[in-house]
Amino acid sequence: MIIPKNLEELASYVESDQKVVFFFTADWCPDCQFIYPVMPEIEALHPDMTFVRVNRDDYMALAQTWNIFGIPSFVVTKKGQELGRLVNKARKTKEEITAFLSEI
């Protein structure tokens, strides 16, 4: 999982030719803590995707622009186009995230 150091690095992934999964999270979020342990397994199931962890608190303006009002949330892009999103306030399971990514 990539953790960008600044907004410029984060922005560079949006234009990637590969599918990029932006995982919006925050360290204080209990539902995020619930999913952290299985993220390596989810990544391994989707080797064609790049996973980028976005701390919503560090990139609040971006989260607002992308309408990320619940975390954890996932937005998938490729070549600057949004391909799909799993954005809501509900706790997400490994199965739910894997099913979502498999459809993209």
Side-chain angles (χ1 to χ4, degrees), residues 54 56 63 73 78 86:
V54 182
R56 192 218 46 188
S73 288
K78 182 177 181 179
L86 179 57

Side-chain angles (χ1 to χ4, degrees), residues 42-104:
I42 293 170
E43 285 183 81
L45 292 171
H46 302 281
D48 60 321
M49 298 180 175
T50 300
F51 286 76
V52 178
R53 183 171 162 180
V54 182
N55 186 318
R56 192 218 46 188
D57 294 340
D58 292 341
Y59 300 100
M60 184 62 75
L62 175 66
Q64 290 173 340
T65 299
W66 283 17
N67 295 315
I68 307 296
F69 295 112
I71 52 174
S73 288
F74 299 84
V75 176
V76 181
T77 65
K78 182 177 181 179
K79 296 183 180 178
Q81 299 296 312
E82 183 177 312
L83 303 179
R85 61 174 41 224
L86 179 57
V87 176
N88 57 47
K89 294 179 182 177
R91 174 177 278 189
K92 289 144 188 84
T93 64
K94 175 185 172 187
E95 294 75 21
E96 182 181 8
I97 296 164
T98 300
F100 160 71
L101 293 174
S102 296
E103 294 173 5
I104 302 220

Side-chain angles (χ1 to χ4, degrees), residues 5-57:
K5 295 175 185 61
N6 54 50
L7 188 58
E8 291 75 23
E9 181 184 352
L10 178 58
S12 72
Y13 294 106
V14 175
E15 299 298 326
S16 174
D17 290 341
Q18 190 174 18
K19 291 179 184 175
V20 179
V21 179
F22 292 94
F23 171 37
F24 285 86
T25 182
D27 292 338
W28 54 263
C29 167
D31 292 339
C32 301
Q33 300 293 328
F34 174 78
I35 203 66
Y36 287 160
V38 297
M39 285 306 297
E41 296 172 41
I42 293 170
E43 285 183 81
L45 292 171
H46 302 281
D48 60 321
M49 298 180 175
T50 300
F51 286 76
V52 178
R53 183 171 162 180
V54 182
N55 186 318
R56 192 218 46 188
D57 294 340

